[in-house]
Amino acid sequence: MTSHIKRRGSTYYAQIAVPLDVQTILGRKTMDRSLRTKDPQEAKRLLPDVLKEWHRLFDDAKRGITIVKEQRRPLTNAQMAARVYKSETALDAELRKQDHRYAIAEIDADEARRFRDGFAGRLSNDELAELVGDRIERFRTVGHHDYAPNSPEWRALAQDLCAARYEAMAREAERAEGDFNGKPSHPTIASATPEPEKAPKGETIIDLYDRYARENAKGISADTLTQARRDVKLFADTIGNIPPGKITGRHVGEWKDLLMQYPVKAAEIAAFRGMTMRQTIKKNETVKKPTISDRTVNRYLSAVGAFCDWLVLRGYLERNPVTGLHQSIDKTKRSTVPFTTDQLNTLFASPLFTGCQNDDDWHKPGNHMIRDHRFWIPLVMLFSGARPGEIAQLAVSDVRQEHGIWIMHITEEGDGDKSVKTKGSMRVVPIHPELVRLGFLKYHAAIKEAGETRFFPNATRNKRGQMVADFSRDFGRYLTRIKIKSGRGVSLYSFRHGAADALRRAGHLDEQFGFILGHTSHTMTGRYGVLPQGMLQQRVDLVNSIAYPGLKIDHLAD
């Protein structure tokens, strides 16, 4: 391969000998082309595509594909220039796809100037031949024209091809800075490069998503729809304002490639504020934030996929372009893991539970006792497996006695802006004896006597409508501060995973306790009465079997 790379000055060129049997057809003994780079490694990466193009040319010539003007209508100079522009920008896109750090934009400024001078008519015929002579020869070979070398027609075409290559350089430079919206300004190239079709007013991707969300035929929770809208908007902003019916698997595949380079919680990081997805990825080369997991990539794809299912039903698409593009996940590996007993004991002996300096400095020991949702949510999750948002939104009336048994009614019904993940997530969960021992019912009595309607009045939603999302984020940071967490692994949701493992440890099968965790489908039986499904005593037995050998929490008892 390296024998086909030559260096002229500081720039590397590709070069190959033309086979003897096609030299008379092509009218030359060698082919050469600037690779537009000073980096030898980058030159090696660019070389294969150039060689493939030349070998296709040789094969065409050998097969006698020399279509004469009478057999095929010749292309105009503008059309030939547009083909060069398209092939140059497509090469940049392909190389960028293989390695997102790649940027042709690091071009020799002198070479860019030569192409600019070429289409401005300031270069000699020999200089034009060096820059674009091989392209002119290619067009002549396949019968698009037969301009005599150095004729006025030949020179006019050479200048248009210089314009095409300079315009391609401009796009590559823009892309390296994260701007993928550039268009050719040279009139010859612009006239032959049609504007992409745009979605009509009221029919954009996000317009149709809003219609899909309003219809909500599957009863998806408001939080999930809001999150999915952000995911779909990121997709729409990235692929451009195309009609929804024009979404293809290629659009989704290229977006997936970007997702796999996308930083975790990019929207919340000041360094990425106001940036497009591609600009964010480019900036992260220096910021070096961790990228999202394969599971999160799949969450983004699922949001777009569910919307595309609706587009198929409504006749906008023939098939779902997301199908088959999800990342393969090893389900034996969990991104979130349960706490170990030692970790739990360390956590419950830490300042958040035993006394801290103040509401803001949880990690510093002190005499201030926190007994609001921040204290109770981890404990309730540990002994019920409920989600943090489900617990945080409880009304005082949702904690009550049924048939002499204290229960939590997890529901979207009642006053306030309550929601559940799915309709099937509405359920009744008996209160574990350990929570009673720790003072949960005493807290209930006190909050009820105070006249509150919400069980945890200080628990709030963030700007995105997510219940206690800020606490969930801060809790993860707290785990790092008290040296329980390092990187990914444990989080607030580790309590939920721990409850599931405790139920398995007690001998229950997943299908026997899934409804306690809210892993049920919505059925007619869930629409009537207090209990969506199952008998209350069965639930009591399940919840009471949640136990953690070696757990030390006696000091938390009120």
Side-chain angles (χ1 to χ4, degrees), residues 295 331-340 344 378 380-388 489-505 510 513 517 519 546-548:
R295 290 179 185 275
K331 294 186 177 180
T332 63
K333 296 181 179 179
R334 294 186 284 193
S335 57
T336 301
V337 298
F339 292 109
T340 65
L344 286 173
V380 175
M381 291 182 73
L382 188 67
F383 289 106
S384 72
R387 300 176 180 91
V490 293
S491 69
L492 189 60
Y493 270 80
S494 293
F495 295 112
R496 181 168 161 84
H497 288 271
D501 276 1
L503 287 162
R504 295 183 187 111
R505 204 162 43 240
D510 286 18
F513 64 77
L517 303 181
H519 290 165
I546 297 174
Y548 302 91

Side-chain angles (χ1 to χ4, degrees), residues 314-360:
R314 289 304 189 95
Y316 289 95
L317 291 170
E318 291 186 5
R319 60 176 295 276
N320 191 329
V322 182
T323 301
L325 287 175
H326 284 75
Q327 283 292 91
S328 177
I329 301 294
D330 183 353
K331 294 186 177 180
T332 63
K333 296 181 179 179
R334 294 186 284 193
S335 57
T336 301
V337 298
F339 292 109
T340 65
T341 301
D342 287 343
Q343 287 174 327
L344 286 173
N345 288 336
T346 299
L347 174 62
F348 291 125
S350 69
L352 172 60
F353 295 92
T354 59
C356 58
Q357 285 196 2
N358 54 57
D359 276 343
D360 296 324

Side-chain angles (χ1 to χ4, degrees), residues 13-291:
Y13 282 71
Q15 187 178 79
I16 192 172
V18 176
L20 288 173
D21 53 349
V22 296
Q23 284 183 8
T24 54
I25 298 174
L26 299 182
R28 58 194 306 170
K29 295 181 178 181
T30 61
M31 306 288 286
D32 54 9
R33 179 188 302 176
S34 170
L35 294 173
R36 300 187 296 172
T37 181
K38 300 176 182 178
D39 182 351
Q41 295 303 318
E42 188 174 317
K44 290 178 183 178
R45 184 167 53 192
L46 292 169
L47 179 64
D49 288 287
V50 178
L51 294 180
K52 285 179 183 177
E53 181 183 330
W54 283 339
H55 283 299
R56 283 196 298 268
L57 174 63
F58 299 155
D59 290 342
D60 288 349
K62 288 176 182 179
R63 287 194 300 266
I65 304 178
T66 53
I67 305 170
V68 296
K69 290 175 69 174
E70 290 76 14
Q71 294 174 310
R72 181 168 179 175
R73 190 176 183 180
L75 299 176
T76 65
N77 285 10
Q79 290 170 325
M80 287 186 273
R83 287 193 174 190
V84 170
Y85 173 79
K86 184 176 180 180
S87 67
E88 293 282 333
T89 51
L91 173 61
D92 173 68
E94 182 60 32
L95 291 171
R96 192 178 297 279
K97 183 177 180 180
Q98 296 171 13
D99 182 354
H100 72 277
R101 296 167 298 178
Y102 167 79
I104 270 185
E106 297 172 3
I107 314 167
D108 186 336
D110 289 338
E111 186 173 11
R113 177 187 52 76
R114 292 176 68 206
F115 278 108
R116 185 187 63 226
D117 289 348
F119 74 74
R122 291 194 286 267
L123 296 183
S124 68
N125 289 340
D126 289 343
E127 290 173 310
L128 289 175
E130 179 186 351
L131 290 177
V132 293
D134 60 327
R135 297 300 180 94
I136 296 177
E137 191 63 33
R138 173 72 186 276
F139 283 122
R140 187 194 68 77
T141 301
V142 295
H144 293 156
H145 75 83
D146 57 358
Y147 301 153
N150 301 328
S151 66
E153 294 85 0
W154 179 94
R155 186 174 178 86
L157 175 59
Q159 289 169 2
D160 284 340
L161 298 189
C162 281
R165 298 193 70 176
Y166 179 75
E167 287 283 0
M169 286 181 178
R171 299 297 83 73
E172 291 153 6
E174 291 161 357
R175 290 176 179 183
E177 297 300 322
D179 179 6
F180 282 68
N181 297 313
K183 298 180 179 61
S185 58
H186 190 272
T188 300
I189 314 302
S191 65
T193 310
E195 286 279 330
E197 185 179 357
K198 293 183 179 180
K201 187 176 181 180
E203 292 280 319
T204 66
I205 291 174
I206 207 66
D207 288 334
L208 291 189
Y209 178 85
D210 288 339
R211 284 167 55 185
Y212 155 76
R214 286 193 297 271
E215 184 177 304
N216 195 14
K218 295 184 178 180
I220 302 169
S221 72
D223 280 355
T224 302
L225 284 173
T226 300
Q227 175 67 63
R229 189 183 193 277
R230 287 189 293 271
D231 298 344
V232 172
K233 188 173 188 307
L234 181 67
F235 174 67
D237 289 345
T238 304
I239 69 170
N241 185 29
I242 67 171
K246 299 293 185 180
I247 298 173
T248 66
R250 181 171 181 176
H251 287 124
V252 180
E254 290 176 354
W255 186 58
K256 176 187 172 181
D257 292 337
L258 294 174
L259 284 173
M260 296 177 72
Q261 306 161 35
Y262 200 52
V264 173
K265 296 185 177 179
E268 300 176 14
I269 297 173
F272 304 137
R273 191 165 295 135
M275 291 186 177
T276 65
M277 189 178 189
R278 291 184 175 93
Q279 289 170 336
T280 297
I281 292 168
K282 178 70 176 175
K283 179 71 173 179
N284 199 43
E285 292 176 16
T286 54
V287 176
K288 299 189 183 303
K289 293 291 183 181
T291 55

Side-chain angles (χ1 to χ4, degrees), residues 345-488:
N345 288 336
T346 299
L347 174 62
F348 291 125
S350 69
L352 172 60
F353 295 92
T354 59
C356 58
Q357 285 196 2
N358 54 57
D359 276 343
D360 296 324
D361 296 318
W362 310 349
H363 63 292
K364 297 178 182 178
N367 298 321
H368 180 71
M369 303 300 290
I370 291 178
R371 289 296 183 269
D372 58 12
H373 63 281
R374 293 169 292 178
F375 175 87
W376 285 112
I377 284 176
L379 290 167
V380 175
M381 291 182 73
L382 188 67
F383 289 106
S384 72
R387 300 176 180 91
E390 294 172 337
I391 300 166
Q393 70 179 8
L394 285 170
V396 172
S397 59
D398 291 333
V399 178
R400 61 181 182 268
Q401 280 187 305
E402 293 289 343
H403 307 295
I405 296 171
W406 281 95
I407 57 98
M408 294 183 298
H409 190 185
I410 295 172
T411 177
E412 64 181 6
E413 298 170 356
D415 296 333
D417 56 349
K418 295 193 292 184
S419 63
V420 290
K421 187 167 186 178
T422 66
K423 295 293 185 184
S425 295
M426 291 195 289
R427 62 199 185 279
V428 164
V429 181
I431 295 173
H432 195 286
E434 277 295 280
L435 293 177
V436 176
R437 188 173 72 87
L438 296 176
F440 188 73
L441 296 183
K442 290 182 181 179
Y443 172 85
H444 174 258
I447 206 77
K448 185 176 182 179
E449 186 177 347
E452 297 286 353
T453 57
R454 292 186 56 217
F455 198 79
F456 296 115
N458 294 331
T460 59
R461 296 183 184 273
N462 65 7
K463 292 179 180 178
R464 295 162 61 177
Q466 298 167 313
M467 179 59 80
V468 290
D470 292 341
F471 169 62
S472 180
R473 177 199 62 210
D474 293 341
F475 187 81
R477 294 172 180 172
Y478 179 76
L479 294 176
T480 301
R481 284 178 166 177
I482 62 174
K483 313 228 182 284
I484 287 179
K485 179 179 180 177
S486 177
R488 287 181 174 139

